[in-house]
Each structure stands twice: as C-alpha cells, then as structure tokens.
Coordinates of all heavy atoms in Angstrom, one line a residue:
M22 N 30.4 -1.4 39.9 CA 31.4 -2.3 39.6 C 32.6 -2.3 40.6 O 32.6 -1.4 41.4 CB 32.1 -2.0 38.2 CG 31.1 -2.0 37.0 SD 32.0 -1.7 35.4 CE 32.9 -3.3 35.3
V23 N 33.3 -3.4 40.7 CA 34.5 -3.5 41.4 C 35.6 -4.1 40.6 O 35.4 -5.1 40.0 CB 34.2 -4.5 42.7 CG1 35.4 -4.6 43.5 CG2 33.1 -3.8 43.6
E24 N 36.7 -3.3 40.6 CA 37.9 -3.7 39.8 C 39.0 -3.4 40.6 O 39.0 -2.5 41.4 CB 37.9 -3.0 38.5 CG 36.8 -3.4 37.5 CD 36.9 -2.9 36.1 OE1 38.0 -2.1 35.8 OE2 36.2 -3.2 35.2
T25 N 40.1 -4.1 40.2 CA 41.4 -3.7 40.8 C 42.0 -2.6 40.0 O 42.2 -2.7 38.7 CB 42.4 -4.9 40.9 OG1 41.8 -5.9 41.6 CG2 43.7 -4.5 41.5
I26 N 42.2 -1.5 40.6 CA 42.7 -0.3 39.8 C 43.9 0.2 40.7 O 43.8 0.7 41.8 CB 41.8 0.9 39.7 CG1 40.5 0.4 38.9 CG2 42.3 2.1 39.0 CD1 39.4 1.4 38.6
G27 N 45.1 0.2 40.0 CA 46.4 0.6 40.7 C 46.6 -0.2 41.9 O 47.2 0.2 42.9
G28 N 46.3 -1.5 41.8 CA 46.7 -2.5 42.9 C 45.6 -2.4 44.1 O 45.8 -3.0 45.0
H29 N 44.6 -1.6 43.9 CA 43.5 -1.4 44.9 C 42.2 -1.9 44.5 O 41.8 -1.5 43.3 CB 43.6 0.0 45.5 CG 44.8 0.6 45.9 ND1 45.3 0.1 47.3 CD2 45.8 1.2 45.3 CE1 46.5 0.8 47.3 NE2 46.8 1.5 46.3
L30 N 41.4 -2.5 45.3 CA 40.0 -2.8 44.9 C 39.2 -1.4 45.0 O 39.4 -0.8 45.9 CB 39.4 -3.8 45.9 CG 39.7 -5.3 45.7 CD1 39.1 -6.2 46.7 CD2 39.3 -5.7 44.3
T31 N 38.6 -1.2 43.9 CA 37.9 0.1 43.8 C 36.4 -0.3 43.4 O 36.2 -0.9 42.3 CB 38.6 1.0 42.7 OG1 40.0 1.1 43.0 CG2 38.0 2.3 42.7
R32 N 35.5 0.3 44.1 CA 34.1 0.2 43.8 C 33.7 1.5 43.1 O 34.0 2.6 43.7 CB 33.2 -0.1 45.0 CG 31.8 -0.4 44.6 CD 31.1 -1.0 45.8 NE 30.9 0.1 46.8 CZ 30.2 -0.1 47.9 NH1 29.7 -1.2 48.2 NH2 30.1 1.0 48.8
F33 N 33.1 1.4 41.9 CA 32.7 2.7 41.2 C 31.5 2.3 40.4 O 31.1 1.3 40.1 CB 33.9 3.1 40.4 CG 34.3 2.1 39.4 CD1 33.9 2.2 38.0 CD2 35.3 1.1 39.7 CE1 34.4 1.3 37.1 CE2 35.7 0.3 38.7 CZ 35.3 0.3 37.4
K34 N 30.9 3.4 40.0 CA 29.8 3.5 39.0 C 30.2 3.9 37.6 O 31.0 4.8 37.5 CB 28.7 4.5 39.6 CG 27.5 4.6 38.9 CD 26.6 5.7 39.5 CE 25.3 5.9 38.7 NZ 24.4 6.9 39.2
V35 N 29.6 3.3 36.7 CA 29.8 3.5 35.2 C 28.6 4.2 34.8 O 27.4 3.6 34.8 CB 30.1 2.3 34.5 CG1 30.3 2.7 33.0 CG2 31.4 1.6 35.0
S36 N 28.7 5.5 34.3 CA 27.5 6.1 33.8 C 27.8 6.5 32.3 O 28.8 7.3 32.0 CB 27.3 7.4 34.5 OG 27.1 7.3 35.9
M37 N 26.9 6.0 31.4 CA 27.1 6.3 29.9 C 26.9 7.8 29.9 O 26.0 8.4 30.5 CB 26.0 5.6 29.1 CG 26.1 4.1 29.4 SD 27.7 3.4 28.8 CE 27.3 3.3 27.1
T38 N 27.6 8.5 29.0 CA 27.3 10.0 28.8 C 27.6 10.3 27.3 O 28.3 9.8 26.7 CB 28.4 10.7 29.6 OG1 28.1 12.1 29.5 CG2 29.8 10.4 29.5
R39 N 26.8 11.3 26.9 CA 26.9 11.9 25.6 C 27.7 13.1 25.6 O 28.3 13.5 24.6 CB 25.6 12.2 25.0 CG 24.9 10.8 24.7 CD 23.6 11.1 23.9 NE 22.8 9.9 24.0 CZ 21.7 9.8 23.2 NH1 21.2 10.7 22.6 NH2 21.1 8.6 23.2
E40 N 27.7 13.8 26.8 CA 28.4 15.0 27.0 C 29.7 14.8 27.6 O 29.8 14.3 28.8 CB 27.6 15.9 27.8 CG 26.2 16.3 27.2 CD 26.4 17.1 25.9 OE1 27.3 17.9 25.8 OE2 25.6 16.8 25.0
L41 N 30.8 15.1 26.9 CA 32.1 14.9 27.5 C 32.8 16.2 27.7 O 32.6 17.1 26.8 CB 33.0 14.1 26.6 CG 32.6 12.6 26.2 CD1 33.4 12.1 25.1 CD2 32.8 11.8 27.6
P42 N 33.5 16.5 28.7 CA 34.1 17.7 28.9 C 35.2 17.9 27.7 O 35.8 16.9 27.2 CB 35.0 17.5 30.2 CG 34.2 16.5 30.9 CD 33.7 15.6 29.9
P43 N 35.4 19.1 27.2 CA 36.3 19.4 26.1 C 37.6 18.7 26.1 O 38.1 18.1 25.2 CB 36.3 20.9 25.9 CG 35.0 21.3 26.5 CD 34.7 20.4 27.6
P44 N 38.3 18.7 27.3 CA 39.7 18.1 27.4 C 39.6 16.6 27.2 O 40.5 16.1 26.7 CB 40.2 18.4 28.8 CG 39.3 19.6 29.3 CD 38.0 19.4 28.6
V45 N 38.5 16.0 27.6 CA 38.3 14.5 27.4 C 37.8 14.3 26.0 O 38.4 13.3 25.3 CB 37.1 14.0 28.4 CG1 36.9 12.6 28.1 CG2 37.7 14.1 29.9
R46 N 36.9 15.1 25.4 CA 36.5 14.9 24.1 C 37.6 14.9 23.1 O 37.5 14.4 22.0 CB 35.4 15.9 23.8 CG 34.7 15.8 22.5 CD 33.4 16.7 22.3 NE 33.8 18.1 22.6 CZ 33.1 18.8 23.6 NH1 32.3 18.2 24.2 NH2 33.4 20.0 23.8
A47 N 38.6 15.7 23.3 CA 39.8 15.8 22.5 C 40.5 14.6 22.2 O 41.2 14.3 21.3 CB 40.8 16.9 23.1
F48 N 40.2 13.6 23.1 CA 40.9 12.2 22.9 C 40.1 11.4 21.8 O 40.8 10.4 21.4 CB 41.0 11.4 24.2 CG 42.0 12.0 25.2 CD1 41.8 12.9 26.0 CD2 43.3 11.5 24.9 CE1 42.9 13.4 26.9 CE2 44.4 12.0 25.8 CZ 44.2 12.9 26.8
L49 N 39.0 11.8 21.5 CA 38.2 11.0 20.5 C 38.9 11.0 19.2 O 39.5 12.2 18.9 CB 36.8 11.5 20.4 CG 35.8 11.2 21.5 CD1 34.5 12.0 21.4 CD2 35.6 9.7 21.7
D50 N 39.0 10.0 18.4 CA 39.7 10.0 17.1 C 38.7 9.7 16.0 O 38.0 8.7 16.0 CB 40.6 8.8 17.1 CG 41.5 8.8 15.9 OD1 41.3 9.3 14.9 OD2 42.6 8.1 16.0
A51 N 38.5 10.7 15.1 CA 37.6 10.6 14.0 C 37.8 9.5 13.1 O 36.9 9.1 12.3 CB 37.6 11.9 13.3
A52 N 39.1 9.0 13.1 CA 39.4 7.8 12.2 C 38.6 6.6 12.7 O 38.6 5.5 12.1 CB 40.8 7.6 12.2
Y53 N 38.1 6.6 13.9 CA 37.4 5.5 14.5 C 36.0 5.9 14.7 O 35.6 6.4 15.9 CB 38.0 4.9 15.8 CG 39.4 4.4 15.6 CD1 40.6 5.2 15.5 CD2 39.5 3.0 15.6 CE1 41.7 4.6 15.2 CE2 40.8 2.5 15.2 CZ 41.9 3.3 15.2 OH 43.0 2.7 14.9
P54 N 35.0 5.9 13.7 CA 33.7 6.5 13.8 C 32.7 5.7 14.7 O 31.7 6.4 15.0 CB 33.2 6.4 12.4 CG 34.0 5.4 11.7 CD 35.3 5.2 12.4
L55 N 32.9 4.5 15.1 CA 32.0 3.8 15.8 C 32.3 4.0 17.3 O 33.4 3.6 17.8 CB 32.0 2.3 15.6 CG 31.8 2.0 14.0 CD1 32.0 0.5 13.8 CD2 30.4 2.4 13.6
S56 N 31.3 4.5 18.0 CA 31.6 4.7 19.5 C 31.1 3.5 20.3 O 29.8 3.3 20.1 CB 30.8 6.1 20.0 OG 31.0 6.2 21.3
L57 N 31.9 2.8 21.0 CA 31.4 1.6 21.7 C 31.1 2.0 23.1 O 30.3 1.4 23.7 CB 32.6 0.6 21.8 CG 33.1 0.1 20.3 CD1 34.3 -0.8 20.6 CD2 32.1 -0.5 19.6
L58 N 31.8 3.0 23.7 CA 31.5 3.4 25.1 C 32.1 4.8 25.4 O 33.3 5.0 25.1 CB 32.2 2.3 26.1 CG 32.1 2.7 27.5 CD1 30.6 2.5 28.0 CD2 33.0 1.7 28.3
N59 N 31.2 5.7 25.8 CA 31.6 7.0 26.4 C 31.1 7.0 27.8 O 29.9 6.9 27.9 CB 31.2 8.1 25.5 CG 31.8 8.3 24.3 OD1 32.9 7.8 24.1 ND2 31.1 9.1 23.3
A60 N 31.9 6.8 28.7 CA 31.4 6.7 30.1 C 32.1 7.5 31.2 O 33.4 7.6 31.0 CB 31.3 5.3 30.5
L61 N 31.5 7.9 32.1 CA 32.1 8.6 33.2 C 32.1 7.5 34.4 O 31.2 6.9 34.7 CB 31.2 9.7 33.7 CG 31.5 10.3 35.1 CD1 32.9 11.0 35.2 CD2 30.5 11.3 35.6
L62 N 33.4 7.5 35.1 CA 33.6 6.5 36.1 C 33.6 7.4 37.3 O 34.4 8.3 37.5 CB 34.8 5.7 36.0 CG 35.1 5.0 34.7 CD1 36.4 4.2 34.7 CD2 33.9 4.1 34.4
S63 N 32.8 7.1 38.3 CA 32.7 7.9 39.6 C 32.7 6.9 40.8 O 32.2 5.8 40.8 CB 31.5 8.8 39.7 OG 30.3 8.1 39.5
L64 N 33.2 7.4 41.9 CA 33.3 6.8 43.2 C 31.7 6.8 43.8 O 30.9 7.5 43.4 CB 34.3 7.4 44.1 CG 35.7 7.4 43.6 CD1 36.6 8.1 44.6 CD2 36.2 6.0 43.3
D65 N 31.7 6.0 44.8 CA 30.3 5.9 45.6 C 29.8 7.3 46.0 O 28.6 7.6 46.0 CB 30.5 5.1 46.8 CG 30.5 3.6 46.5 OD1 30.1 3.2 45.4 OD2 30.8 2.8 47.4
D66 N 30.7 8.3 46.3 CA 30.3 9.5 46.8 C 30.1 10.6 45.7 O 29.8 11.7 45.8 CB 31.4 10.2 47.7 CG 32.6 10.5 47.2 OD1 32.8 10.4 45.9 OD2 33.5 11.0 47.9
G67 N 30.2 10.0 44.4 CA 29.9 10.8 43.2 C 31.1 11.5 42.6 O 31.0 12.1 41.7
T68 N 32.2 11.4 43.3 CA 33.5 12.0 42.8 C 33.9 11.2 41.5 O 34.3 10.1 41.4 CB 34.7 11.8 43.7 OG1 34.2 12.4 45.0 CG2 35.9 12.5 43.2
P69 N 34.0 12.1 40.4 CA 34.4 11.5 39.1 C 35.9 11.2 39.2 O 36.7 12.0 39.8 CB 34.1 12.6 38.0 CG 33.9 13.8 38.9 CD 33.6 13.5 40.3
F70 N 36.3 10.0 38.6 CA 37.8 9.8 38.6 C 38.4 9.4 37.3 O 39.6 9.4 37.1 CB 38.2 8.8 39.8 CG 37.9 7.4 39.4 CD1 38.8 6.6 38.8 CD2 36.8 6.9 39.7 CE1 38.5 5.1 38.5 CE2 36.3 5.5 39.5 CZ 37.2 4.7 38.9
A71 N 37.5 9.2 36.3 CA 38.0 8.7 35.0 C 37.0 8.8 34.0 O 35.8 8.7 34.3 CB 38.7 7.4 35.0
Y72 N 37.3 8.6 32.7 CA 36.3 8.6 31.6 C 36.8 7.4 30.8 O 38.0 7.2 30.6 CB 36.3 9.8 30.8 CG 35.5 11.0 31.4 CD1 36.2 11.9 32.2 CD2 34.2 11.1 30.9 CE1 35.5 12.9 32.7 CE2 33.5 12.2 31.7 CZ 34.2 13.1 32.5 OH 33.4 14.1 33.0
C73 N 35.9 6.7 30.2 CA 36.2 5.6 29.2 C 35.7 6.1 27.9 O 34.6 6.6 27.8 CB 35.5 4.4 29.6 SG 36.1 3.4 31.0
L74 N 36.6 5.9 26.9 CA 36.3 6.2 25.5 C 36.7 5.0 24.7 O 38.0 4.9 24.5 CB 37.0 7.5 25.1 CG 36.9 8.8 26.0 CD1 37.8 9.9 25.4 CD2 35.4 9.2 25.9
H75 N 35.9 4.2 24.2 CA 36.2 3.1 23.4 C 35.6 3.3 22.1 O 34.3 3.6 21.9 CB 35.6 1.7 24.0 CG 36.2 1.4 25.4 ND1 37.3 2.1 25.9 CD2 35.7 0.6 26.4 CE1 37.5 1.6 27.2 NE2 36.6 0.7 27.4
Q76 N 36.5 3.2 20.9 CA 36.0 3.4 19.6 C 36.4 2.3 18.7 O 37.3 1.6 19.1 CB 36.5 4.7 19.1 CG 36.1 6.0 19.8 CD 36.8 7.1 19.2 OE1 37.9 7.5 19.7 NE2 36.3 7.8 18.3
A77 N 35.7 2.1 17.5 CA 36.1 1.2 16.6 C 35.9 1.6 15.2 O 35.2 2.6 15.0 CB 35.3 -0.1 16.8
R78 N 36.5 0.8 14.3 CA 36.3 1.1 12.8 C 36.4 -0.3 12.1 O 37.0 -1.2 12.6 CB 37.3 2.0 12.2 CG 38.7 1.5 12.2 CD 39.6 2.6 11.6 NE 41.0 2.2 11.8 CZ 42.0 3.0 11.7 NH1 41.7 4.4 11.4 NH2 43.3 2.7 11.8
N79 N 35.5 -0.4 11.1 CA 35.4 -1.6 10.3 C 36.7 -1.7 9.5 O 37.2 -0.7 9.0 CB 34.1 -1.6 9.5 CG 33.0 -1.8 10.3 OD1 32.9 -2.5 11.3 ND2 31.9 -1.2 9.9
T80 N 37.2 -3.0 9.2 CA 38.3 -3.1 8.3 C 37.9 -4.3 7.3 O 36.8 -4.9 7.5 CB 39.6 -3.6 9.0 OG1 39.4 -4.9 9.6 CG2 40.0 -2.6 10.2
G81 N 38.8 -4.6 6.4 CA 38.4 -5.5 5.4 C 38.4 -6.9 6.0 O 37.7 -7.9 5.4
T82 N 39.0 -7.2 7.2 CA 39.1 -8.4 7.8 C 38.3 -8.5 9.2 O 38.6 -9.5 9.9 CB 40.4 -8.9 7.9 OG1 41.2 -7.8 8.8 CG2 41.2 -9.1 6.7
G83 N 37.7 -7.4 9.6 CA 37.0 -7.5 10.9 C 36.9 -5.9 11.3 O 36.3 -5.1 10.8
A84 N 37.6 -5.7 12.4 CA 37.6 -4.4 13.0 C 38.8 -4.0 13.8 O 39.6 -4.9 14.2 CB 36.4 -4.3 14.0
E85 N 39.0 -2.8 13.9 CA 40.1 -2.2 14.8 C 39.5 -1.6 15.9 O 38.5 -0.7 15.8 CB 41.1 -1.3 14.0 CG 42.0 -2.1 13.0 CD 42.9 -1.1 12.3 OE1 42.7 0.1 12.5 OE2 43.7 -1.6 11.5
V86 N 39.9 -1.7 17.2 CA 39.2 -1.1 18.4 C 40.4 -0.3 19.1 O 41.5 -0.9 19.3 CB 38.6 -2.2 19.3 CG1 38.1 -1.6 20.5 CG2 37.6 -3.0 18.5
V87 N 39.9 0.8 19.6 CA 40.8 1.6 20.4 C 40.0 1.8 21.7 O 39.0 2.2 21.7 CB 41.1 3.0 19.8 CG1 41.9 3.9 20.8 CG2 41.8 2.9 18.5
V88 N 40.7 1.4 22.8 CA 40.1 1.6 24.2 C 41.0 2.5 25.0 O 42.2 2.5 25.0 CB 40.0 0.2 24.9 CG1 39.1 -0.6 24.2 CG2 41.4 -0.5 25.1
R89 N 40.3 3.6 25.5 CA 41.0 4.5 26.3 C 40.3 4.8 27.5 O 39.1 4.8 27.7 CB 40.9 5.9 25.5 CG 41.7 5.9 24.3 CD 41.6 7.3 23.6 NE 42.3 7.4 22.4 CZ 41.5 7.1 21.2 NH1 40.3 6.7 21.3 NH2 42.1 7.2 20.0
V90 N 41.1 4.9 28.6 CA 40.6 5.3 30.0 C 41.4 6.6 30.3 O 42.6 6.5 30.3 CB 40.8 4.3 31.1 CG1 40.3 4.8 32.4 CG2 40.1 3.0 30.7
I91 N 40.7 7.7 30.5 CA 41.3 9.0 30.7 C 41.3 9.3 32.2 O 40.3 9.4 32.7 CB 40.5 10.1 30.0 CG1 40.3 9.7 28.4 CG2 41.2 11.4 30.1 CD1 41.5 9.5 27.7
Y92 N 42.5 9.3 32.7 CA 42.7 9.6 34.1 C 43.2 11.0 34.4 O 43.8 11.6 33.5 CB 43.7 8.5 34.7 CG 43.2 7.2 35.0 CD1 43.7 6.1 34.2 CD2 42.3 6.9 36.0 CE1 43.3 4.9 34.4 CE2 41.8 5.5 36.2 CZ 42.3 4.5 35.4 OH 41.9 3.3 35.6
P93 N 43.0 11.5 35.6 CA 43.6 12.8 35.9 C 45.1 12.8 35.6 O 45.7 11.8 35.9 CB 43.2 13.2 37.4 CG 42.0 12.2 37.5 CD 42.3 10.9 36.7
S94 N 45.7 13.9 35.4 CA 47.1 14.0 35.2 C 48.0 13.6 36.5 O 49.0 13.1 36.4 CB 47.5 15.4 34.8 OG 47.2 16.4 35.7
A95 N 47.3 13.7 37.6 CA 48.0 13.3 38.8 C 48.0 11.8 39.1 O 48.6 11.3 40.1 CB 47.3 14.1 40.1
A96 N 47.2 11.0 38.3 CA 47.2 9.6 38.4 C 48.6 9.0 38.3 O 49.3 9.3 37.4 CB 46.3 8.9 37.5
P97 N 48.9 8.1 39.3 CA 50.4 7.5 39.2 C 50.5 6.7 38.0 O 49.5 6.0 37.6 CB 50.5 6.7 40.5 CG 49.1 6.5 40.9 CD 48.3 7.6 40.5
D98 N 51.7 6.4 37.4 CA 51.9 5.6 36.3 C 51.5 4.2 36.6 O 51.0 3.4 35.7 CB 53.4 5.6 35.8 CG 53.7 7.0 35.2 OD1 52.9 7.7 34.8 OD2 55.0 7.2 35.1
S99 N 51.6 3.7 37.9 CA 51.3 2.3 38.2 C 49.8 2.1 38.0 O 49.4 1.0 37.6 CB 51.6 2.0 39.5 OG 51.0 2.9 40.5
M100 N 49.0 3.0 38.2 CA 47.6 2.9 38.1 C 47.2 2.8 36.6 O 46.5 1.9 36.2 CB 46.8 4.2 38.5 CG 45.2 4.2 38.3 SD 44.5 5.7 38.9 CE 44.2 5.4 40.5
I101 N 47.8 3.6 35.8 CA 47.5 3.5 34.3 C 48.1 2.2 33.7 O 47.4 1.6 33.0 CB 48.3 4.7 33.7 CG1 47.5 6.0 34.2 CG2 48.2 4.5 32.2 CD1 48.1 7.3 33.8
Q102 N 49.3 1.9 34.1 CA 49.9 0.5 33.6 C 49.0 -0.7 34.0 O 48.7 -1.5 33.1 CB 51.3 0.3 34.1 CG 51.9 -1.0 33.6 CD 52.0 -1.0 32.1 OE1 52.3 0.0 31.4 NE2 51.8 -2.2 31.5
S103 N 48.6 -0.6 35.2 CA 47.7 -1.8 35.6 C 46.4 -1.9 35.0 O 45.9 -3.0 34.7 CB 47.6 -1.8 37.2 OG 46.8 -0.7 37.7
H104 N 45.9 -0.7 34.7 CA 44.6 -0.7 34.0 C 44.8 -1.0 32.5 O 43.9 -1.7 31.9 CB 43.8 0.6 34.1 CG 42.4 0.5 34.0 ND1 41.5 0.0 35.0 CD2 41.6 0.7 32.9 CE1 40.4 -0.1 34.6 NE2 40.3 0.3 33.4
C105 N 45.9 -0.8 31.9 CA 46.2 -1.2 30.5 C 46.2 -2.7 30.5 O 45.7 -3.2 29.6 CB 47.5 -0.8 30.0 SG 47.5 1.1 29.7
E106 N 46.8 -3.3 31.4 CA 46.8 -4.8 31.5 C 45.5 -5.4 31.7 O 45.1 -6.4 31.1 CB 47.8 -5.3 32.7 CG 49.3 -4.9 32.4 CD 50.1 -5.2 33.6 OE1 49.8 -5.8 34.6 OE2 51.3 -4.8 33.6
H107 N 44.7 -4.8 32.6 CA 43.3 -5.2 32.8 C 42.5 -5.1 31.5 O 41.8 -6.1 31.2 CB 42.6 -4.2 33.9 CG 41.2 -4.4 34.0 ND1 40.5 -5.4 34.8 CD2 40.2 -3.7 33.4 CE1 39.4 -5.3 34.6 NE2 38.9 -4.3 33.8
L108 N 42.6 -4.0 30.7 CA 41.8 -3.9 29.5 C 42.3 -4.9 28.5 O 41.4 -5.5 27.8 CB 42.0 -2.4 29.0 CG 41.3 -1.4 29.6 CD1 41.6 0.0 29.1 CD2 39.7 -1.6 29.6
A109 N 43.5 -5.3 28.4 CA 44.0 -6.3 27.5 C 43.4 -7.6 27.8 O 43.0 -8.3 27.0 CB 45.5 -6.3 27.5
I110 N 43.3 -7.9 29.1 CA 42.8 -9.3 29.6 C 41.3 -9.3 29.2 O 40.7 -10.1 28.8 CB 43.1 -9.6 31.0 CG1 44.7 -9.8 31.2 CG2 42.4 -10.8 31.6 CD1 45.2 -9.7 32.6
E111 N 40.6 -8.2 29.6 CA 39.2 -8.0 29.6 C 38.8 -8.2 28.1 O 37.8 -9.0 27.7 CB 38.6 -6.7 30.1 CG 37.3 -6.6 30.1 CD 36.9 -5.2 30.9 OE1 37.2 -4.2 30.5 OE2 36.3 -5.4 32.0
F112 N 39.4 -7.5 27.1 CA 39.0 -7.5 25.8 C 39.4 -8.9 25.1 O 38.7 -9.4 24.3 CB 39.6 -6.4 24.9 CG 38.8 -5.2 25.0 CD1 38.7 -4.3 26.1 CD2 37.9 -4.9 24.0 CE1 37.8 -3.3 26.2 CE2 36.9 -3.8 24.0 CZ 37.0 -3.0 25.1
R113 N 40.5 -9.5 25.5 CA 40.9 -10.8 25.0 C 39.8 -11.8 25.5 O 39.5 -12.6 24.6 CB 42.2 -11.2 25.5 CG 42.7 -12.6 25.1 CD 44.0 -13.1 25.7 NE 43.8 -13.2 27.1 CZ 44.8 -13.3 28.0 NH1 46.0 -13.3 27.7 NH2 44.5 -13.4 29.3
S114 N 39.4 -11.6 26.6 CA 38.3 -12.6 27.2 C 37.1 -12.4 26.3 O 36.4 -13.4 26.0 CB 38.0 -12.5 28.5 OG 39.1 -12.8 29.3
C115 N 36.7 -11.2 26.0 CA 35.4 -10.9 25.3 C 35.5 -11.5 23.9 O 34.6 -12.1 23.4 CB 35.2 -9.4 25.2 SG 34.6 -8.6 26.7
I116 N 36.8 -11.4 23.2 CA 36.9 -11.9 21.9 C 36.9 -13.4 21.9 O 36.3 -14.1 21.0 CB 38.2 -11.3 21.3 CG1 38.1 -9.8 21.0 CG2 38.7 -12.1 20.1 CD1 39.4 -9.2 20.7
R117 N 37.6 -14.0 22.9 CA 37.5 -15.5 22.9 C 36.1 -16.1 23.1 O 35.6 -17.0 22.6 CB 38.4 -15.9 24.1 CG 39.9 -15.8 23.8 CD 40.7 -16.4 24.9 NE 42.1 -16.5 24.6 CZ 43.1 -16.6 25.3 NH1 42.9 -16.7 26.7 NH2 44.4 -16.6 25.0
N118 N 35.3 -15.3 24.0 CA 33.9 -15.7 24.3 C 33.0 -15.7 23.0 O 32.3 -16.4 22.8 CB 33.4 -15.0 25.5 CG 33.9 -15.4 26.7 OD1 34.6 -16.5 27.0 ND2 33.8 -14.5 27.8
A119 N 33.2 -14.4 22.3 CA 32.6 -14.2 21.1 C 32.9 -15.3 20.1 O 32.0 -15.9 19.4 CB 32.7 -12.9 20.6
A120 N 34.1 -15.6 19.9 CA 34.5 -16.7 19.1 C 34.0 -18.0 19.4 O 33.4 -18.8 18.5 CB 36.1 -16.8 19.0
A121 N 34.0 -18.4 20.7 CA 33.5 -19.7 21.0 C 31.9 -19.7 20.8 O 31.4 -20.7 20.5 CB 33.7 -19.9 22.6
A122 N 31.2 -18.7 20.9 CA 29.7 -18.6 20.8 C 29.4 -18.8 19.2 O 28.3 -19.1 19.0 CB 29.2 -17.3 21.3
T123 N 30.4 -18.5 18.4 CA 30.0 -18.6 16.9 C 30.3 -19.9 16.4 O 30.1 -20.3 15.1 CB 30.8 -17.5 16.1 OG1 32.2 -17.6 16.3 CG2 30.3 -16.2 16.6
R124 N 30.9 -20.8 17.2 CA 31.3 -22.1 16.6 C 30.1 -23.1 16.6 O 29.1 -23.1 17.3 CB 32.4 -22.8 17.5 CG 33.7 -22.1 17.3 CD 34.7 -22.7 18.2 NE 35.9 -21.9 18.2 CZ 36.7 -21.8 19.3 NH1 36.6 -22.5 20.3 NH2 37.7 -20.9 19.1

C-alpha cells in the first residue's frame, strides 16, 4: 500500500496477524467483540512501524466501530493526527459506498 502518513508518502505492507505483542493486545476492547482487522504494518525492508486494531459491536440501530492504529511512542503527534484524519475520510467513504450499493 501507499498512503500519506505524517505528510510523507509511505509504502508499506499490511500483514494480517492473530498474534499481537502484549503491549499492543492491551489496546483491544472486550466491549467490541467483532475483530475487523488485526494487522502489522511494515516497511519494504520488513521494519514494523505500526499495528492496526479495528473492532466493532452490534447495536440496535447498526454498529459501533473503533479504529485504532498503534504507533511507537516516539511517533510525532503530527503523524498520529494526520492518520486520524485519513481514517475518518477512509471510513466515511466506505460507509457512503456501502449505502449507495444498497439503493
């Protein structure tokens, strides 16, 4: 994949994983029992740089979704803020596309 992360084009690999390191696994929320994505993000040379943990739960009117990207503690705030904006746009687009497909 190629995405803008922290204002820089970044090429990386997304690897689905069932085994999460304990510090990353601690971010999972049992109140959201549906796992949408547990993935390791790594650079071309294999260096891991983040984990994605996306979870959901059913509600009476649909679903609630929590999307998390776990970066190292040294990641600058600008990287985290820009990726929050990216995820908001990405998920909004997915929801709009799904709604249009059901019409």
Side-chain angles (χ1 to χ4, degrees):
M22 296 186 74
V23 176
E24 290 185 359
T25 302
I26 298 176
H29 303 280
L30 281 178
T31 306
R32 189 168 68 176
F33 59 96
K34 179 180 175 185
V35 178
S36 303
M37 304 298 279
T38 183
R39 291 181 189 190
E40 297 298 321
L41 297 167
V45 174
R46 191 172 45 244
F48 284 94
L49 292 171
D50 186 343
Y53 293 83
L55 304 172
S56 180
L57 303 177
L58 176 68
N59 289 338
L61 167 65
L62 308 182
S63 55
L64 302 175
D65 284 345
D66 67 0
T68 303
F70 75 92
Y72 285 87
C73 286
L74 306 176
H75 300 344
Q76 296 178 270
R78 65 180 171 199
N79 292 321
T80 68
T82 58
E85 291 180 354
V86 177
V87 175
V88 295
R89 293 182 187 87
V90 178
I91 311 303
Y92 286 109
S94 60
D98 289 343
S99 61
M100 176 186 274
I101 294 165
Q102 181 59 37
S103 68
H104 205 79
C105 287
E106 292 171 11
H107 167 85
L108 286 172
I110 293 166
E111 187 172 64
F112 273 77
R113 180 184 63 194
S114 295
C115 289
I116 291 166
R117 286 181 175 168
N118 290 339
T123 61
R124 290 186 190 143

